[in-house]
Amino acid sequence: MSGQKTDIKVVLKPRTAEHVRIYWEKTQDKEIRRRIPLQDISLEEALRQFEASRQPGATSFGMCIEADGDYVGDVWCYGIDEAGEQMAMFSFLIFEKSLWGKGVGSEAARLFCQEAFSRYDIRKLGAFAYAENTGSLRALEKAGFREKERFLEEGRLSVYLEWQGVSAD
């Protein structure tokens, strides 16, 4: 039943090169690529990007999403800017289609936002989703993101949302 939340335990774990390989393979799926804007990169480039994210001063950070102990997707932020705008961009992807609409994405987003705001000196996270991807939009809104604007990009209606962090001041 799509749209129904179940009692699925969602946790975030550190990513490994093996996760990157699985993620890359799973995201070659045509239905996933239609729903989510993904870079068209090789596995080797994906592994290079992963290694770069592990270096000091990296401007991206990601974690694995586990649901009931199974690896089901990734969540990450990129374009981390602690000095200027104090923001980063956020994205998530659940590649296990049987979990779409079950609350896994919104719970992973909520957990990751807490992690990002405790880890980085940022005040907000931005996110994009295709307007027709109502599942992603609903997950982002349930996690605390609010719609800021809609616009056409490459002929598709897109939505920009933001999540405002709580200042530690």
Side-chain angles (χ1 to χ4, degrees):
M1 287 186 222
S2 182
Q4 293 229 286
K5 183 175 166 97
T6 58
D7 291 325
I8 299 170
K9 180 168 176 54
V10 176
V11 296
L12 303 181
K13 299 268 179 102
R15 292 177 82 217
T16 66
E18 183 58 24
H19 290 119
V20 174
R21 285 183 186 88
I22 294 167
Y23 179 87
W24 185 88
E25 184 178 304
K26 296 274 192 179
T27 58
Q28 299 311 299
D29 180 271
K30 287 183 172 130
E31 185 178 3
I32 289 173
R33 289 181 119 14
R34 238 187 343 268
R35 291 174 179 254
I36 310 281
L38 291 168
Q39 287 181 307
D40 192 18
I41 61 173
S42 67
L43 174 58
E44 293 73 23
E45 179 58 26
L47 287 165
R48 274 193 293 278
Q49 288 180 7
F50 165 69
E51 287 303 325
S53 75
R54 296 165 39 113
Q55 301 307 310
T59 59
S60 65
F61 168 71
M63 298 185 82
C64 292
I65 302 167
E66 286 190 0
D68 289 340
D70 294 325
Y71 173 47
V72 299
D74 282 4
V75 61
W76 62 94
C77 60
Y78 58 96
I80 301 167
D81 178 5
E82 294 181 278
E85 290 188 62
Q86 291 185 284
M87 75 168 294
M89 295 303 296
F90 168 85
S91 194
F92 76 99
L93 190 146
I94 308 298
F95 54 69
E96 284 302 327
K97 297 175 195 174
S98 65
L99 294 175
W100 291 355
K102 306 277 196 231
V104 174
S106 58
E107 179 63 5
R110 187 188 67 75
L111 291 169
F112 188 82
C113 288
Q114 292 173 351
E115 177 69 25
F117 280 96
S118 69
R119 185 178 286 253
Y120 300 103
D121 185 18
I122 57 175
R123 297 188 184 275
K124 66 182 174 180
L125 288 167
F128 291 101
Y130 292 133
E132 74 260 15
N133 190 344
T134 57
S136 285
L137 289 172
R138 190 168 42 254
L140 288 165
E141 288 170 350
K142 282 174 62 180
F145 283 82
R146 297 296 168 248
E147 184 176 324
K148 293 296 184 182
E149 72 174 297
R150 289 179 176 242
F151 56 95
L152 277 177
E153 184 174 35
E154 297 180 8
R156 292 181 83 173
L157 185 60
S158 294
V159 181
Y160 174 71
L161 305 95
E162 282 185 352
W163 196 93
Q164 300 286 326
V166 178
S167 177
D169 299 341

